[in-house]
């Protein structure tokens, strides 16, 4: 089983926080999530 990286753990936590804040959304948190996803994509394409 593959272990999660720190960045992946951070993304999961940010997504959970974003879901909890659905009645009061944070645009900064949404941007942070988008940034993490982009960084993870870059890391994956760099491995290939």
């Amino acid at each position: 089983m593959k272990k999660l990286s720190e960045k992946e753990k951070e993304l999961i936590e940010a997504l959970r926080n974003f879901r909890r804040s659905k009645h009061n959304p944070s645009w900064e948190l949404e941007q942070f999530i988008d940034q993490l996803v982009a960084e993870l994509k870059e890391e994956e394409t760099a491995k290939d």
Side-chain angles (χ1 to χ4, degrees):
M1 178 183 257
K2 181 183 172 188
K3 287 193 167 205
L4 295 176
S5 70
E6 286 303 313
K7 205 169 276 193
E8 290 167 328
K9 290 177 187 177
E10 197 172 2
L11 175 61
I12 291 168
E13 189 62 34
L15 288 167
R16 288 178 178 158
N17 289 338
F18 186 75
R19 230 177 71 201
R20 284 186 208 122
S21 70
K22 65 183 174 183
H23 298 295
N24 186 18
S26 166
W27 299 114
E28 292 86 8
L29 184 55
E30 189 172 356
Q31 288 177 334
F32 178 66
I33 291 169
D34 290 342
Q35 177 186 344
L36 282 174
V37 169
E39 289 173 8
L40 287 167
K41 284 181 180 179
E42 282 181 23
E43 287 177 11
E44 282 301 312
T45 54
K47 289 180 186 177
D48 295 339

